[in-house]
Amino acid sequence: MSRSSARTTTRSRWVLGALVVGLPLSLLPATATAGATPAPTPSPAPSSSASTSRHGGGWHGHPTDLPKVPVMKGGGGAVSSVDRDASQVGIDVLRRGGNAADAAVATAAALGVTEPYSTGIGGGGFLVYYDARARRVSTIDGRETAPATFTSKSFTDPSTGKALDFTTVVNSGLSVGVPGTPALWAKALRDHGTLSLNRALAPAEQLARQGFVVDQTFADQTAANAARFSVFPETARVFLRDGKAPAVGSTFRNPDMAKAYRTLRTQGVSALYAGSMGRAVVAESRSPHTDGSSVMGGQLTMRDLRAYRALTKAPIHSSYKGFDVFGMPVPSSGGIAVAEILNLMRAYEKATGVRTSALSEADYLHRFSEASATAFADRNRWVGDVPGVPVRQLTSPAFAAERACLFDPAKAQPRPIPFGSPDGRYTSCAPGKAAQPEPYEGLSTSHLTVMDRWGSVASYTLTIEQTGGSGITVPGYGFLLNNELTDFNFTPLTPGVPDPNLPGPGKRPRSSMSPTILLHEGRPFLAVGSPGGATIITSTSQTILGYLDRRLSLVDAIRAPRLSSRNGSSEGAEPQILDGPVGAALRAKGHVLAPGAAAPAVNEIGAVTAIRYLGHGRFEAAAETTRRGGGSAMVVQPSRHQRH
Ligand code: GLU
């Protein structure tokens, strides 16, 4: 996004001192590096990133604001997000001696201001974190939970047993889950960070109060939501200007959201989970104020909020060509599906004797499509927030080898591909069980990545589900409530086949969010992820494959035209594929291509951010060059001569 904040900040000199605290990653072995994480320098709260200054692209030797570019190399740590202001907030935290957890939380909070339709206090998300001190990858599950009163039939009409209308549920209190994002922030800081929540949220509060400059994307997103926002007078008051989107170039301030951040800073997250902010969330979601339109209320109670916990979970761990791949476990399907896709790509290489790197673009994408569709078939059947998900089997090379036997280099398998049996007995070429339709998932979200100079890594995807969430703004607090509960399947995907993703009491809806970290020989190597509903899984996998196998530079792996095969009747393809020879070659193999589902108006899929560690204390941050208006990749100390 190209929003820049609305004012210029004078930066204090003490930050230069912070640069020499501790030894840089390059000079220390991993263990010692981790131990050298400095205590946070006694410091004022990080100042806002706010600045309209623009520089040509080089490091000028001063702690100053960085340009909005899709790739930047250098030292001192790195941040990549979709938004310049947010990336700058993270860089400022790193520059002042904060670590990756501190910067991830501060960046996420800033995204809550500048990307309020995709992320924020009212939503949830997943963090995968490599803690260089502990030399361990762990995850935090900040997914929203359903009310305790929910049942498997909460999204059906009691008189007919049929699924409720999807759009009606989206724009209602019934879709609102207990927000997990503030709890995740607090836990990430407690477990891995050095800053208090008070300090980590200070830049976001300032950004909300002082405002940012509206860009085309923000204006377009507002305009696209104007009709449904108008149903909720508080949402219209906060986000619309005379019922319309604010003008491009105008300053957008959200003093109510500044108050929300201030409340969290001064009262802690108990303000949400046990206090006045929480009471406002409960009241508004149960009985939304409307313009007179009839809108369903939800079932959240203070008891649900009090019961909420962000959870530490072991990551999904798989290996791919000598790299350790860590992803998000249940209730996200992201880590499992990415692992299965990579395992399948490896299995196809073994089965055919032809490496992915040696393939034409069309043959590569054919393999990628088959692998993705297969992984979606399996995750739809087996993955949800239920006990007994066969994680080890789904992510095992042996299961992938069995699933790969159906692969034909010349021909696409008919969709939907039947799901497999991850039962540990992989001697035959199993044809698969039943074929299931593709469930619907929303199209919003944001991903950010951070590496600090000590080698800790944050890969963090956060969302309020659909762009604009439920459309309901919490009165007086300026943030939108999620509609994450619509990620549950309303009715079983296939009658008679168990569906792990039906709603239930306190249950977390299945996600596709795929924050991913790759280590190489125990060292940070790559952090990557994307927004985009179910296309998150394919965008993340395609970027990893593009970088590792197709030998693209990181930014080119991000830039590459995307294909998203999710086992539906057609697969999403961006224009370069859809309208070119690669698309023709794919069609000749039987693929049914359609514009990418993630953003039908512009046919873009995903908005990846990534960082790779280059060694010797240097980093390469990368982001989208054009999708969603381009992302913002930054390092603390850019190289004088950037080589892209
Ligand atoms: N709710 C989706 C998920 O958890 C993310 C929404 C999106 O990216 O659009 O997978």
Side-chain angles (χ1 to χ4, degrees):
M1 306 270 153
S2 58
R3 288 186 286 287
S4 58
S5 46
R7 58 168 213 111
T8 303
T9 306
T10 310
R11 285 163 198 288
S12 49
R13 279 166 191 261
W14 64 269
V15 291
L16 278 173
L19 288 171
V20 294
V21 175
L23 284 172
L25 182 67
S26 55
L27 299 182
L28 292 163
T31 34
T33 303
T37 301
T41 318
S43 62
S47 70
S48 162
S49 67
S51 172
T52 50
S53 64
R54 283 283 187 275
H55 301 288
W59 174 251
H60 300 275
H62 304 289
T64 186
D65 288 342
L66 294 165
K68 178 176 179 278
V69 290
V71 58
M72 194 180 280
K73 290 181 188 176
V79 179
S80 186
S81 84
V82 298
D83 180 73
R84 199 204 70 88
D85 289 325
S87 293
Q88 185 71 55
V89 163
I91 287 291
D92 287 351
V93 168
L94 293 179
R95 186 182 283 145
R96 285 165 166 75
N99 69 14
D102 301 325
V105 172
T107 304
L111 284 173
V113 178
T114 58
E115 295 264 295
Y117 308 142
S118 297
T119 70
I121 296 169
F126 298 106
L127 172 71
V128 179
Y129 196 77
Y130 174 69
D131 190 323
R133 187 195 306 256
R135 303 189 74 186
R136 201 162 57 87
V137 180
S138 60
T139 76
I140 303 179
D141 166 2
R143 187 68 160 170
E144 298 88 336
T145 52
T149 49
F150 257 41
T151 72
S152 62
K153 300 206 182 331
S154 289
F155 290 131
T156 58
D157 181 333
S159 56
T160 64
K162 293 217 159 61
L164 296 175
D165 175 63
F166 186 80
T167 308
T168 307
V169 178
V170 167
N171 298 298
S172 83
L174 197 61
S175 64
V176 180
V178 178
T181 287
L184 185 152
W185 290 346
K187 187 167 180 55
L189 292 173
R190 210 167 44 238
D191 293 355
H192 306 291
T194 67
L195 290 182
S196 63
L197 189 70
N198 187 341
R199 282 204 180 142
L201 302 190
E205 180 189 334
Q206 204 170 346
L207 195 54
R209 183 164 294 117
Q210 289 164 345
F212 58 88
V213 177
V214 171
D215 72 357
Q216 194 62 51
T217 308
F218 185 80
D220 289 348
Q221 288 180 343
T222 313
N225 278 288
R228 73 187 192 109
F229 283 0
S230 301
V231 169
F232 305 102
E234 181 72 357
T235 306
R237 183 181 71 77
V238 172
F239 294 105
L240 302 180
R241 302 289 175 261
D242 296 325
K244 299 205 177 74
V248 173
S250 64
T251 297
F252 187 90
R253 297 186 180 84
N254 190 338
D256 289 7
M257 192 183 285
K259 180 182 122 187
Y261 278 122
R262 184 156 203 83
T263 305
L264 291 175
R265 291 179 60 208
T266 54
Q267 297 174 25
V269 295
S270 60
L272 174 64
Y273 296 105
S276 53
M277 193 191 289
R279 284 191 288 278
V281 167
V282 167
E284 196 60 18
S285 61
R286 291 181 75 91
S287 184
H289 291 90
T290 72
D291 62 352
S293 309
S294 149
V295 165
M296 275 187 296
Q299 300 171 15
L300 283 183
T301 63
M302 282 310 289
R303 181 181 286 228
D304 293 321
L305 266 61
R306 267 191 229 102
Y308 188 83
R309 298 285 179 277
L311 304 170
T312 298
K313 293 181 172 174
I316 299 296
H317 177 206
S318 61
S319 299
Y320 184 67
K321 300 189 175 179
F323 296 93
D324 289 290
V325 183
F326 296 92
M328 199 63 218
V330 169
S332 185
S333 59
I336 294 169
V338 169
E340 187 178 343
I341 289 171
L342 296 178
N343 286 342
L344 283 164
M345 292 297 285
R346 187 77 191 98
Y348 298 160
E349 286 186 327
K350 286 187 177 152
T352 61
V354 183
R355 294 181 73 83
T356 306
S357 56
L359 295 167
S360 70
E361 187 69 5
D363 284 338
Y364 155 59
L365 289 176
H366 168 62
R367 283 191 187 181
F368 178 59
S369 169
E370 298 299 281
S372 306
T374 305
F376 270 91
D378 295 329
R379 79 105 201 219
N380 289 345
R381 168 61 187 90
W382 300 108
V383 183
D385 186 16
V386 291
V389 175
V391 175
R392 284 187 58 163
Q393 299 303 328
L394 287 169
T395 57
S396 73
F399 176 62
E402 180 180 84
R403 298 292 277 148
C405 77
L406 300 170
F407 172 73
D408 181 344
K411 210 156 127 266
Q413 296 166 75
R415 306 294 198 261
I417 293 173
F419 58 82
S421 301
D423 54 11
R425 296 187 300 278
Y426 307 123
T427 49
S428 66
C429 183
K433 298 280 186 188
Q436 305 198 98
E438 181 188 3
Y440 178 83
E441 270 180 53
L443 309 166
S444 175
T445 307
S446 212
H447 180 76
L448 66 97
T449 39
V450 183
M451 286 193 193
D452 69 28
R453 69 189 118 131
W454 302 283
S456 289
V457 185
S459 192
Y460 180 21
T461 316
L462 63 166
T463 186
I464 59 171
E465 212 316 89
Q466 187 154 314
T467 304
S470 63
I472 301 170
T473 298
V474 183
Y477 290 103
F479 65 87
L480 285 154
L481 287 170
N482 69 83
N483 65 299
E484 214 71 53
L485 303 186
T486 58
D487 272 358
F488 286 119
N489 293 339
F490 287 15
T491 54
L493 267 192
T494 310
V497 175
D499 187 333
N501 192 35
L502 293 174
K507 197 171 167 181
R508 299 175 187 221
R510 181 177 63 210
S511 171
S512 296
M513 289 189 270
S514 311
T516 306
I517 292 176
L518 273 68
L519 302 186
H520 188 238
E521 294 173 355
R523 291 258 186 155
F525 178 75
L526 182 71
V528 58
S530 177
T535 68
I536 291 172
I537 289 168
T538 53
S539 295
T540 303
S541 310
Q542 201 180 336
T543 306
I544 294 170
L545 290 165
Y547 181 61
L548 292 183
D549 286 298
R550 302 296 289 171
R551 305 201 178 127
L552 300 173
S553 71
L554 189 55
V555 74
D556 283 344
I558 293 172
R559 191 193 338 242
R562 296 208 175 109
L563 182 76
S564 183
S565 178
R566 304 185 299 283
N567 207 26
S569 50
S570 64
E571 47 201 273
E574 291 186 329
Q576 274 169 281
I577 297 171
L578 199 62
D579 307 326
V582 173
L586 286 168
R587 284 191 197 93
K589 288 181 191 285
H591 292 271
V592 181
L593 305 182
V602 280
N603 192 11
E604 290 177 352
I605 299 175
V608 167
T609 70
I611 301 173
R612 69 180 178 135
Y613 181 57
L614 301 171
H616 309 290
R618 296 184 71 247
F619 306 85
E620 179 180 28
E624 298 289 353
T625 51
T626 57
R627 293 183 188 97
R628 283 214 204 172
S632 173
M634 293 183 181
V635 296
V636 174
Q637 298 159 292
S639 310
R640 199 169 279 279
H641 305 292
Q642 282 195 48
R643 285 180 293 274
H644 293 179

